[in-house]
């Protein structure tokens, strides 16, 4: 059992990676949700240290991440990549902070809980200083599949993702913008972040390739889903694809269940599940799309139907804002659980 966050009126909070797309979202969400912040410390690398980020009508100066800067911090929200988390999360913990880490560095460590508050909130309290936030594509999938798993036990999942460029960070968003402008002006698009043109294209390649031909992103989706649902028997096939969308990830998901569910039963289960919005009336052209979901908090599910290719199967379409529920919002919801816990 981990140490609790000491009950206080308000907390010293650090955002590490504060000039990134997730870090900026974290700062906005802390303000929006009125998280009890006594002092907010913002960190990045030397590249953007010195920049200002707005919080509660003030511009706070971003500092270069350092050991000294983390002294006295109660809650450290890391969103600065694996290297920074590897080195500085343990430093923050030894300085007395609880870390919620957005990188992949600690997610599969057996001593680190991997938490989605709608799915496994209690796991947060087993931490030993570090709590991991799952991968963006994992979070939205488990929020939608947990109620189905509870009702009918999922045996197999086949998922194909359509992931926006903001999932790669701010440089990738600039790249999509620059390449789109270039192509519309009859100039050649120049790839920097991605290996190929991303504008008006899609790349069946997120992360790096394993020797078996899968990608690291696909492996994360599989391993993290099993860890969060605490079920190593679920068979999962994943194909992750980068698409020229700025914000929100979409997923086409087929599940095979032990108990057969009709589409209406599945809809009824999804309609009352926490964190989910059932947006499903195809006759009226109601289904979730990334442009509508961007900037919102829920995980949206639509196109719910029976998958008749197996004995008992369902097909679903799941969309969520990867920067909010897929990253910053989930981290802050975990922090809210910690401060709301009875002592
Ligand atoms: N984007 C998503 O949808 C998403 C979802 C889930 C998890 N994540 C994870 O969240 C993290 C940040 O992603 P992002 O999309 O926000 O990337 P990003 O837009 O590229 O921002 C990265 C941030 O981290 C800072 N940073 C990088 N290296 C650092 C270091 N050594 N020390 C201190 N700060 C450092 C950057 O500052 P400088 O510019 O000064 O270097 C910047 O503020 C990554 O670990 C990513 O895997 C992202």
């Amino acid at each position: 059992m981990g140490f609790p966050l000491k009950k206080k009126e308000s907390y010293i909070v650090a955002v590490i990676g504060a000039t990134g797309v997730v870090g900026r979202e974290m700062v906005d969400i802390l303000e929006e949700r009125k998280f009890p912040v006594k002092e907010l410390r913002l960190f990045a690398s030397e590249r953007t240290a010195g920049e200002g980020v707005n919080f509660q009508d003030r511009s706070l100066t971003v500092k270069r991440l350092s050991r000294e800067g983390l002294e006295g911090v109660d809650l450290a929200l890391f969103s600065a990549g694996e290297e920074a988390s590897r080195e500085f999360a343990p430093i923050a913990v030894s300085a007395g902070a609880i870390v919620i880490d957005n990188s992949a560095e600690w997610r599969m460590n057996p001593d680190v809980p991997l938490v989605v508050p709608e799915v496994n909130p209690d796991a947060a309290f087993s931490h030993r200083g570090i709590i991991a936030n799952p991968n963006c594509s994992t979070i939205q999938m488990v929020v939608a599949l947990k109620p189905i798993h509870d009702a009918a036990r999922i045996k197999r999942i086949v998922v194909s993702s359509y992931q926006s460029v903001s999932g790669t960070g701010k440089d990738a968003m600039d790249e999509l913008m620059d390449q789109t402008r270039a192509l519309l002006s009859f100039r050649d698009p120049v790839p920097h972040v991605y290996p190929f043109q991303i504008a008006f294209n899609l790349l069946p390649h997120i992360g790096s390739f394993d020797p078996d031909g899968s990608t690291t992103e696909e492996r994360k989706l599989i391993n993290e889903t099993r860890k969060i649902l605490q079920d190593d028997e679920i068979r999962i096939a994943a194909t992750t694809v980068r698409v020229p969308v700025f914000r929100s990830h979409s997923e086409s998901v087929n599940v095979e269940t032990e108990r057969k569910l009709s589409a209406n039963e599945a809809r009824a289960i999804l309609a009352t599940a926490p964190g989910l919005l059932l947006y499903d009336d195809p006759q009226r052209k109601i289904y979730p799309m990334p442009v509508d979901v961007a900037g919102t908090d829920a995980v949206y599910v639509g196109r719910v139907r029976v998958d008749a290719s197996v004995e008992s199967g369902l097909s679903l379409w799941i969309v969520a804002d990867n920067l909010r529920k897929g990253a910053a919002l989930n981290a802050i919801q975990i922090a809210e659980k910690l401060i709301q816990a009875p002592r």
Side-chain angles (χ1 to χ4, degrees), residues 160-193:
S160 301
S161 73
Y162 304 69
Q163 298 184 216
S164 67
V165 294
S166 57
T168 315
K170 59 185 173 186
D171 294 347
M173 296 180 81
D174 292 343
E175 180 147 312
L176 175 57
M177 184 72 85
D178 293 345
Q179 290 187 357
T180 305
R181 274 205 199 99
L183 284 157
L184 293 177
S185 318
F186 306 101
R187 285 184 280 114
D188 285 338
V190 185
H192 298 288
V193 176

Side-chain angles (χ1 to χ4, degrees), residues 17 19-22 44-45 47-48 79-81 102-103 166-167 169-170 322-323 327:
T19 54
V21 284
V22 173
S45 77
R47 218 159 61 105
T48 54
S79 182
N102 253 285
S103 82
S166 57
K170 59 185 173 186
N322 54 294
L323 299 181

Side-chain angles (χ1 to χ4, degrees), residues 151-229:
R153 191 158 180 273
I154 293 173
K155 297 191 294 185
R156 180 166 185 250
I157 301 168
V158 179
V159 49
S160 301
S161 73
Y162 304 69
Q163 298 184 216
S164 67
V165 294
S166 57
T168 315
K170 59 185 173 186
D171 294 347
M173 296 180 81
D174 292 343
E175 180 147 312
L176 175 57
M177 184 72 85
D178 293 345
Q179 290 187 357
T180 305
R181 274 205 199 99
L183 284 157
L184 293 177
S185 318
F186 306 101
R187 285 184 280 114
D188 285 338
V190 185
H192 298 288
V193 176
Y194 296 117
F196 301 103
Q197 170 189 330
I198 182 68
F200 307 102
N201 196 11
L202 51 81
L203 310 177
H205 171 186
I206 303 184
S208 53
F209 283 102
D210 291 343
D212 74 350
S214 301
T215 66
T216 44
E217 185 79 356
E218 288 156 0
R219 190 154 34 82
K220 285 178 197 169
L221 193 45
I222 294 168
N223 294 342
E224 293 178 17
T225 298
R226 290 189 179 132
K227 178 168 175 175
I228 297 163
L229 295 180

